[in-house]
């Protein structure tokens, strides 16, 4: 039988978790900043860049278009003087859906783009209808063939008043970036309000754009003719921070997440308090501890400033050992409960009914071999392992590496009994 190897994360539950963890730059901002850099020729310096595989893929994407990226530590240099292509290859887009973030920048720079259509993924179909409708309002014409989206601006890219059906993060970003170079004014109603949108808008303004209202439901963009390179520091990753705060709330703490603006986590902090955690904040850190039982809580995921869908699986771990019943409703993605089905292997009592997960708290989880199926679900399986009796082995951890830099190393520094190992797997280990 051929013997294969794979990397896994092994956790032995039961250790107290406390201390300070340095939070990195936001994955869901830096990928867009890298895409936006295509819009202006020059040399960009971006600091607080997380060393994660999605950043490596986005570097490949923009280098394919003619940019030259390099990274030292957490500082990235992007030289865009040689950007001369407007076509992204399928093989890269298939690896990472966020590659679609180059659509707006390429339209702004070249008046055209040929971007491979990203497939769906496990959390949902991840459609692009809102991106396309919004950009068509600016005068972009689209046709799709052979799995590619061909965008073209036959006339002038012009401003427009656009109302999004849903505050889509990606659609808001692509529209905002294209509007920067459109003639006239663009208003985006029902815009996404995530902190990463604000970080991108600030970056674009530092490049010479004229964007107002970011963080509110109405963003206004005055088109400009010229853009230039800039230096920027990526906003702290509120989702990485929230993941570690849950680790502290699960295992007692006190745990301090440093390098994040507490205002970007206000809903998650409110829910942590509701579930029995104690919270202290400074302007760039959040400290969590817990002494009593975990109190059940009903959670609705919503666009920012509502509860973030990217923390849904992590908070489900808290509900799994709460004293009573919690109901978590996923309103943003159509299929984001894969974690729920996997964690039942560890003894969790979770019943999924459409967009609702009904969780009956249990006293104890037991360690088991589990598979991560997506980035946040994978991180949550490790959190479940921290409180389980015995050993949990998490496989398919490449999902976790997409968005967490040194997740195991950071947890170990906080006292967790967790290691990353290469194990032999034969074809029987299905
Ligand atoms: C971004 O995805 C994030 N990814 C996601 O984080 C995050 O969960 C999501 O925003 C919501 O906050 C990045 O920034 C790289 P959307 P995005 O457009 O832009 C539907 C993580 O774990 N929709 O706001 O794709 C869509 O299918 C990832 O870090 C349409 O129907 O999110 C989804 O159900 C996961 N048509 C909902 O809207 C469209 O044209 C929200 O999608 C666009 C979106």
């Amino acid at each position: 039988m051929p013997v294969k190897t794979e990397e896994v994360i092994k956790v032995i539950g039961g250790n107290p978790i406390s201390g300070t963890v340095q939070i990195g730059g936001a994955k869901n901002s830096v990928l867009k900043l890298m895409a936006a850099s295509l819009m202006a020729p020059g040399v960009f310096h971006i600091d607080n860049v997380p060393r994660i595989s999605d950043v490596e893929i986005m570097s490949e994407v923009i280098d394919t278009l003619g940019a030259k990226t390099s990274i030292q530590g957490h500082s990235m240099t992007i030289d865009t003087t040689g950007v001369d292509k407007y076509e992204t290859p399928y093989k890269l887009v298939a690896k990472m859906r966020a590659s679609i973030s180059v659509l707006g920048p390429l339209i702004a720079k070249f008046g055209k783009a040929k971007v491979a259509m990203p497939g769906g993924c496990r959390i949902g179909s991840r459609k692009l209808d809102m991106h396309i409708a919004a950009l068509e309002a600016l005068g972009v014409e689209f046709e799709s063939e052979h799995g590619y989206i061909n965008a073209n601006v036959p006339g002038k890219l012009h401003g427009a008043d656009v109302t999004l059906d849903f505050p889509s993060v990606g659609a808001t970003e692509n529209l905002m970036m294209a509007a920067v170079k459109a003639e006239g004014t663009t208003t985006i109603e029902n815009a996404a309000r995530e902190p990463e949108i604000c970080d991108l808008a600030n970056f674009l303004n530092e490049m010479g754009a004229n964007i107002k209202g970011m963080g509110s439901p109405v963003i206004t963009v005055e088109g400009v003719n010229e853009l230039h390179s800039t230096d920027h520091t990526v906003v702290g990753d509120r989702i990485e921070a929230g993941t570690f705060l849950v680790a502290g709330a699960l295992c007692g703490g006190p745990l301090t997440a440093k390098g994040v603006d507490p205002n970007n986590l206000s809903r998650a902090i409110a829910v942590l308090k509701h579930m029995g955690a104690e919270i202290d904040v400074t302007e760039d850190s959040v400290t969590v501890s817990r002494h009593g039982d975990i109190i059940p809580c009903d959670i609705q995921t919503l666009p920012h400033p509502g509860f973030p869908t990217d923390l849904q699986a992590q908070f489900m771990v808290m509900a799994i050992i709460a004293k009573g019943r919690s109901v978590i409703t996923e309103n943003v993605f159509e299929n984001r409960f894969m974690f729920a089905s996997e964690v039942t292997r560890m003894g969790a009592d979770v019943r999924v009914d459409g967009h609702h997960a009904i969780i009956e708290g249990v006293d104890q989880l037991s360690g088991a071999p589990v598979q991560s199926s997506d980035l946040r679900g994978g991180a949550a399986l490790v959190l479940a392992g921290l409180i389980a009796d015995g050993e949990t082995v998490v496989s398919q951890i490449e999902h976790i590496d997409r968005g967490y830099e040194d997740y195991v190393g950071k947890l170990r520094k906080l006292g967790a009994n967790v290691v990353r190992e290469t194990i032999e797997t034969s074809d029987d280990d299905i």
Side-chain angles (χ1 to χ4, degrees):
M1 182 66 68
V3 174
K4 293 182 291 183
T5 61
E6 71 164 319
E7 278 205 292
V8 296
I9 292 175
K10 287 186 175 179
V11 201
I12 306 283
N15 282 20
I17 301 284
S18 64
T20 296
V21 58
Q22 182 61 45
I23 298 302
K27 165 180 88 78
N28 292 346
S29 173
V30 67
L31 299 178
K32 299 23 167 343
L33 307 184
M34 293 169 74
S37 71
L38 296 168
M39 294 165 67
V43 179
F44 294 76
H45 297 100
I46 303 178
D47 285 322
N48 203 27
V49 174
R51 301 303 299 263
I52 54 177
S53 56
D54 271 10
V55 166
E56 292 165 11
I57 296 172
M58 187 55 92
S59 296
E60 273 185 74
V61 170
I62 63 175
D63 286 359
T64 305
L65 299 168
K68 287 194 182 64
T69 57
S70 62
I71 188 163
Q72 290 293 330
H74 295 105
S75 297
M76 174 178 276
T77 300
I78 307 175
D79 182 344
T80 57
T81 38
V83 172
D84 58 359
K85 298 180 189 63
Y86 56 83
E87 179 174 341
T88 62
Y90 174 64
K91 69 176 172 52
L92 286 178
V93 176
K95 275 192 204 172
M96 182 183 68
R97 165 188 164 72
S99 318
I100 196 62
S101 302
V102 302
L103 182 62
L106 294 176
I107 290 170
K109 182 178 179 73
F110 295 111
K112 54 186 165 186
K114 183 173 181 181
V115 181
M117 257 186 278
C121 69
R122 294 204 173 129
I123 64 176
S125 58
R126 310 300 292 272
K127 297 193 304 259
L128 295 173
D129 53 315
M130 287 189 265
H131 296 241
I132 289 170
L135 291 167
E136 281 174 338
L138 302 189
V140 186
E141 290 180 5
F142 286 91
E143 59 174 30
S144 54
E145 55 168 2
H146 311 309
Y148 279 82
I149 297 170
N150 290 307
N152 187 38
V153 184
K156 271 248 176 250
L157 197 64
H158 57 76
D161 295 336
V162 181
T163 300
L164 295 176
D165 292 343
F166 177 87
S168 153
V169 169
T172 301
E173 291 164 339
N174 265 326
L175 175 55
M176 189 165 70
M177 290 187 281
V180 164
K181 293 299 292 296
E183 207 166 72
T185 305
T186 298
T187 54
I188 309 173
E189 306 249 0
N190 198 23
R193 302 170 58 188
E194 276 70 4
E196 295 75 32
I197 300 272
C198 298
D199 204 32
L200 174 60
N202 292 332
F203 181 75
L204 290 164
N205 282 345
E206 290 155 18
M207 289 171 62
N210 182 352
I211 301 170
K212 292 186 175 62
M214 50 281 204
S216 84
V218 183
I219 295 176
T220 305
V221 185
E222 298 296 338
V224 295
N225 292 321
E226 292 304 317
L227 293 170
H228 50 76
S229 58
T230 185
D231 296 350
H232 188 83
T233 298
V234 184
V235 68
D237 192 324
R238 62 195 167 101
I239 304 303
E240 183 193 21
T243 305
F244 281 101
L245 291 175
V246 168
L250 285 170
C251 304
L255 180 150
T256 298
K258 194 149 181 52
V260 68
D261 179 349
N263 297 315
N264 292 344
L265 267 171
S266 47
R267 193 78 205 101
I269 288 172
V271 173
L272 280 170
K273 287 179 178 170
H274 181 102
M275 297 184 86
E278 286 131 50
I279 298 280
D280 291 304
V281 299
T282 69
E283 64 179 8
D284 71 343
S285 75
V286 182
T287 298
V288 64
S289 55
R290 177 176 65 86
H291 304 97
D293 289 338
I294 294 181
I295 300 154
C297 181
D298 292 349
I299 298 173
Q300 297 262 359
T301 69
L302 288 167
H304 194 78
F307 185 90
T309 173
D310 294 347
L311 286 177
Q312 179 249 98
Q314 299 91 315
F315 273 72
M316 191 180 288
V317 181
M318 288 181 64
I320 282 168
I321 56 161
K323 296 297 177 201
R325 169 183 292 188
S326 305
V327 178
I328 297 182
T329 305
E330 173 56 57
N331 296 302
V332 177
F333 287 102
E334 59 257 48
N335 176 31
R336 200 170 193 176
F337 285 136
M338 286 79 62
F339 163 76
S341 51
E342 197 63 14
V343 75
T344 50
R345 290 172 45 78
M346 300 172 70
D349 180 349
V350 185
R351 183 167 57 83
V352 172
D353 174 10
H355 281 257
H356 305 285
I358 298 96
I359 303 113
E360 304 292 351
V362 295
D363 292 334
Q364 178 70 47
L365 289 179
S366 60
V370 287
Q371 266 189 15
S372 54
S373 52
D374 66 289
L375 163 59
R376 307 301 175 184
L381 285 169
V382 175
L383 295 179
L386 294 177
I387 52 168
D389 178 31
E391 181 182 70
T392 297
V393 181
V394 183
S395 57
Q396 316 282 334
I397 61 173
E398 62 277 5
H399 292 290
I400 301 174
D401 293 338
R402 289 190 44 209
Y404 290 91
E405 177 182 342
D406 194 17
Y407 189 45
V408 167
K410 291 183 176 181
L411 284 170
R412 284 178 64 83
K413 283 200 192 96
L414 293 164
N417 183 345
V418 60
V419 292
R420 195 180 171 111
E421 259 184 29
T422 300
I423 61 168
E424 290 186 356
T425 55
S426 69
D427 286 349
D428 291 340
D429 292 338
I430 303 286

